[in-house]
Amino acid sequence: MTSDDGWALEALAEFERHLRADRGVSPHTLRAYMGDLNDLCRYADDVGVQGPSELDIGVLRGWLAQQHAKGRARATLARRTAAARAFTHHLYRRGLMAKDPGPLLGTPKQVRDLPAVLAQDEAGRLLDGTDPDGPLGLRDRAVLEVLYGTGVRVSELCGLDIDDLDMGRLTARVLGKGGRERTVPIGEPAVRAVQDWLRVGRPVLANDESGPALFLGARGGRLHPTSARRIVHNRIAEVGEVPDLSPHGLRHSAATHLLEGGADLRSVQEILGHASLQTTQLYTHVSAERLKQVHRQAHPRGSD
């Protein structure tokens, strides 16, 4: 942006403070929204917008049309629409716009791809039969067991403290998106793996930087999500003949296997920490697709 668009710099800085303090959005969402809105304000400056009151529906639609012409994905366009709506609503509430143009924006219909998931036997091969080598091996096994056994996000896993696990009740206290806390069940295999890590592995790596963190990096600090992703990819590579998934793929797998095992949708929603049941319903489609695949492969009349 140029030196003449001080209104935008000030508005963006104030909106970022609002997202941090009042809405408690995740760091990922914050970066995405602010990147989107910086792009919007650059476009607004290019078309001669002099202040918030001139950020009307025509400007917003022109910006989104430009994004579409650049080949942005539907999901990206939907997020940028949401960011623009949130921004103009905030400006309107602060009295900087006479009317909020955001509600006039249509949302691009998203075509959601079904997430890749492991079959139950593939999950078994990934988790079973490992012979942990040293403290990092014990940690890696515990990380995999907790990711799959609870369905937590990788950021939630790395944020766990030792006291967040109740070994007796087989539960974990998780701090999720928007600062929402929830309690999730954790199976006995995961508990055993964590106990082995805490008893034998963690004391070897722990130092003054460790604090209460449950999982530690090689240098003793709290495990970083990037390292957790590397753990998953490396283990999948060792097993072979298993789809290469991220930690989020283990979360998808856990949710799908819960539903396949008879769990109701509301319970899965609560375990995963989804704010909307619509998000959780995606996994019913995954299960249905898997059933159709089994039918095609196994039934005499399943395919031509």
Side-chain angles (χ1 to χ4, degrees):
M1 285 186 280
T2 70
S3 59
D4 295 330
D5 54 11
W7 73 268
L9 293 173
E10 182 180 348
L12 288 172
E14 204 283 328
F15 184 63
E16 183 174 3
R17 288 192 294 270
H18 164 68
L19 291 178
R20 289 181 187 275
D22 301 332
R23 293 185 54 177
V25 300
S26 70
H28 175 76
T29 300
L30 182 67
R31 286 193 301 271
Y33 267 36
M34 297 314 299
D36 294 341
L37 295 174
N38 269 286
D39 192 272
L40 168 61
C41 288
R42 280 193 294 269
Y43 173 84
D45 183 56
D46 289 342
V47 298
V49 171
Q50 299 295 314
S53 62
E54 297 179 16
L55 197 62
D56 58 20
I57 187 63
V59 174
L60 297 179
R61 285 175 174 164
W63 172 62
L64 290 171
Q66 181 192 72
Q67 300 302 303
H68 185 270
K70 290 181 177 179
R72 305 300 186 203
R74 287 177 182 266
T76 301
L77 291 172
R79 190 197 66 223
R80 293 196 166 187
T81 301
R85 279 205 191 106
F87 186 47
T88 59
H89 180 66
H90 181 67
L91 294 174
Y92 171 70
R93 289 190 63 183
R94 290 187 60 220
L96 298 176
M97 306 181 82
K99 187 176 181 180
D100 180 9
L104 298 176
L105 286 175
T107 301
K109 186 176 181 181
Q110 295 190 54
V111 179
R112 299 192 68 175
D113 294 328
L114 297 180
V117 297
L118 299 175
Q120 293 187 31
D121 64 318
E122 291 173 334
R125 291 205 303 277
L126 181 67
L127 298 169
D128 296 336
T130 59
D131 186 14
D133 181 20
L136 292 179
L138 290 168
R139 180 204 63 186
D140 294 354
R141 182 176 67 176
V143 163
L144 290 164
E145 287 283 5
V146 172
L147 282 171
Y148 176 69
T150 63
V152 295
R153 302 175 178 92
V154 66
S155 59
E156 296 170 344
L157 172 106
C158 294
L160 288 173
D161 291 337
I162 296 173
D163 291 343
D164 288 332
L165 266 65
D166 187 329
M167 305 292 190
R169 295 187 178 184
L170 301 179
T171 59
R173 184 174 63 244
V174 177
L175 189 64
K177 287 186 175 180
R180 292 188 294 270
E181 186 178 291
R182 69 186 190 279
T183 299
V184 300
I186 179 171
E188 292 184 1
V191 166
R192 289 194 297 270
V194 169
Q195 288 174 330
D196 290 343
W197 152 247
L198 290 176
R199 185 178 64 255
V200 181
R202 191 182 187 279
V204 177
L205 299 179
N207 57 36
D208 293 340
E209 302 297 322
S210 302
L214 174 60
F215 292 114
L216 305 179
R219 297 182 180 179
R222 184 180 292 274
L223 184 68
H224 192 275
T226 300
S227 298
R229 294 185 183 95
R230 189 180 303 116
I231 290 169
V232 174
H233 289 305
N234 288 347
R235 175 57 190 156
I236 287 175
E238 290 173 5
V239 174
E241 297 183 358
V242 173
D244 185 18
L245 299 180
S246 66
H248 213 66
L250 291 182
R251 174 173 163 88
H252 290 319
S253 300
T256 303
H257 298 165
L258 281 168
L259 288 170
E260 290 176 348
D264 65 273
L265 203 59
R266 287 286 183 186
S267 296
V268 176
Q269 177 191 8
E270 188 171 345
I271 290 171
L272 296 181
H274 287 158
S276 169
L277 188 63
Q278 184 178 4
T279 305
T280 317
Q281 285 174 332
L282 171 67
Y283 297 106
T284 63
H285 301 307
V286 176
S287 297
E289 286 300 316
R290 287 163 63 84
L291 286 174
K292 287 194 290 185
Q293 182 179 1
V294 169
H295 182 271
R296 284 194 296 268
Q297 293 175 347
H299 196 282
R301 297 283 186 175
S303 62
D304 292 336

